[in-house]
Amino acid sequence: MADCIAEGLWRLDIPLEGNPLKNLNSYLIRGERSLLIDTGFRWASCRLAMERQLEELEVDRDRMDIFATHLHSDHVGLAAELLRPGCRLFIGEIDGPGVEDYMDDDCWRDLYAEYVKDGFTWEEIDHLWDSNPAQEAAPDVWAQYRYLKNGDVLSYGGHELRCILTPGHTPGHMCLYDPAAKWLFAGDHILFHISPNICRWESMPDALGSYLESLQKVRNLPVDLLLPAHRAETGILADRVDELTAHHLRRIEDAWQTVRDEPGLTGYEIAGRMRWKIRSRSWADFPLEQKFFAVGEALAHLDYLEVRGRVCRQEEHGKRRYYLPE
Ligand SMILES: [Zn+2]
């Protein structure tokens, strides 16, 4: 059931079954043309929930444009198929080409080969190939995206929505901000109860550093309605920015201490020694798809330390291992 959260603004609850994110919040701004923000995975369960709620709201689908905050499959998975002819599909110009990459098996092969260097076994990668939702629930048809830049403005339902580039969670993540209504569509930049996954990206030498900068970029915006892309919880922007910053600074030190105490570990092994909020008895019991994100997150913390000269890595027999500098 869709919730009306402000005049002309609806939150559609899209379940992400079996995923620790639990749900995706898809927001609909109604007007002469409507704007749907984020879509859910390309899964039957997401499609059904989306179609049912759009029907309930009697949305004129021929006048509904779509905006994706970033390239992840739980945000763009259904976008191409929901789009009707003549409607527009928006994404930031940096993430846009990545949507196409996610449709390409070769890109996944290259990415997984890097993860093997960071400690995964090929056997684990074989399992991931069939089970990683980031891969299997990505769009399978290409749609014409319109690329947006930082500062571009979209107008829907009497609202002027400014694009704010917030790299970190992905290289080109974008928030939408309406300064008049004080609405911030935060995508996965700011989440409550869970912290956004920050992982290593080939195109970002220091994803976590970029993320922490992007948190500061939005921290002091006047916001009355903070609208995250997952979970029903919301709260005060500046407080949450400070909590997320403190959380990562703590984990950066945890990662550094692990390298100091046990030099020569891979990113995979370091991830196994970090604390995670997921319900699982031990690292060995971690679902493989979650290990993929956990290792990516550990690597982002190690990159942060490496670019600041606090750790270094060496490739030994095809595995990257971390040490403190001499
Ligand atoms: Zn995401």
Side-chain angles (χ1 to χ4, degrees):
M1 186 75 185
D3 289 331
C4 182
I5 48 180
E7 198 189 326
L9 175 62
W10 296 78
R11 183 174 76 96
L12 285 65
D13 185 16
I14 310 296
L16 305 177
E17 287 168 3
N19 190 294
L21 294 168
K22 293 208 171 16
N23 85 315
L24 174 106
N25 299 318
S26 178
Y27 295 101
L28 181 78
I29 301 172
R30 305 196 70 163
E32 200 163 307
R33 292 193 72 83
S34 299
L35 184 69
L36 184 75
I37 301 169
D38 293 331
T39 70
F41 282 128
R42 189 174 53 77
W43 284 351
S45 52
C46 292
R47 185 178 297 122
L48 198 72
M50 175 63 80
E51 293 287 354
R52 204 188 52 228
Q53 291 171 83
L54 289 175
E55 232 166 79
E56 270 168 20
L57 296 174
E58 297 178 352
V59 180
D60 180 355
R61 299 285 297 276
D62 293 323
R63 302 177 70 78
M64 185 184 82
D65 298 330
I66 299 174
F67 172 86
T69 53
H70 62 290
L71 60 77
H72 278 150
S73 307
D74 49 333
H75 298 258
V76 299
L78 291 174
E81 60 182 270
L82 288 171
L83 197 72
R84 294 273 173 91
C87 294
R88 289 168 292 186
L89 175 52
F90 300 104
I91 192 167
E93 61 178 353
I94 298 171
D95 269 18
V99 177
E100 202 169 4
D101 290 347
Y102 269 24
M103 294 167 64
D104 180 357
D105 281 353
D106 285 340
C107 285
W108 284 100
R109 250 176 230 115
D110 293 347
L111 177 65
Y112 287 141
E114 293 298 314
Y115 272 72
V116 168
K117 289 185 191 167
D118 287 306
F120 274 92
T121 64
W122 279 111
E123 198 189 354
E124 287 173 315
I125 297 299
D126 283 345
H127 285 290
L128 270 177
W129 191 265
D130 298 316
S131 64
N132 187 351
Q135 182 183 4
E136 54 85 20
D140 62 348
V141 289
W142 178 244
Q144 195 55 55
Y145 282 83
R146 288 162 194 249
Y147 292 166
L148 298 165
K149 289 192 293 292
N150 184 48
D152 283 351
V153 174
L154 300 176
S155 300
Y156 287 89
H159 294 271
E160 302 276 291
L161 304 151
R162 188 166 19 110
C163 300
I164 305 179
L165 182 64
T166 46
H169 176 69
T170 61
H173 185 286
M174 273 193 174
C175 296
L176 281 183
Y177 178 56
D178 175 350
K182 299 184 183 147
W183 293 351
L184 181 67
F185 296 92
D188 283 1
H189 188 42
I190 308 221
L191 299 174
F192 289 83
H193 192 65
I194 47 175
S195 63
N197 173 254
I198 309 300
C199 67
R200 172 185 284 166
W201 291 85
E202 202 171 292
S203 59
M204 279 198 288
D206 177 21
L208 181 54
S210 300
Y211 177 66
L212 295 175
E213 266 173 42
S214 295
L215 284 178
Q216 291 307 315
K217 198 169 167 185
V218 299
R219 185 186 183 279
N220 298 319
L221 292 175
V223 168
D224 288 340
L225 209 48
L226 176 52
L227 303 159
H230 299 284
R231 306 289 184 97
E233 295 95 334
T234 183
I236 307 293
L237 177 59
D239 292 353
R240 189 59 181 153
V241 163
D242 294 347
E243 280 169 14
L244 288 167
T245 302
H247 164 81
H248 285 294
L249 294 178
R250 228 172 16 244
R251 285 172 82 74
I252 288 164
E253 294 315 309
D254 284 350
W256 182 82
Q257 281 169 14
T258 304
V259 176
R260 181 197 61 192
D261 295 345
E262 287 183 82
L265 298 178
T266 62
Y268 181 98
E269 290 163 332
I270 292 166
R273 284 156 176 78
M274 288 169 79
R275 272 164 292 155
W276 302 97
K277 219 172 169 181
I278 183 169
R279 249 182 253 125
S280 183
R281 282 193 306 276
S282 68
W283 178 241
D285 292 334
F286 243 58
L288 201 48
E289 308 82 63
Q290 297 315 317
K291 270 189 179 170
F292 174 74
F293 293 102
V295 172
E297 179 128 354
L299 293 171
H301 287 73
L302 292 163
D303 286 347
Y304 182 98
L305 290 164
E306 191 182 10
V307 301
R308 287 161 183 80
R310 296 186 61 202
V311 303
C312 56
R313 63 176 135 160
Q314 279 174 29
E315 199 162 320
E316 298 165 8
H317 309 293
K319 299 284 180 200
R320 298 184 186 117
R321 299 188 177 278
Y322 286 85
Y323 297 91
L324 294 193
E326 297 283 301

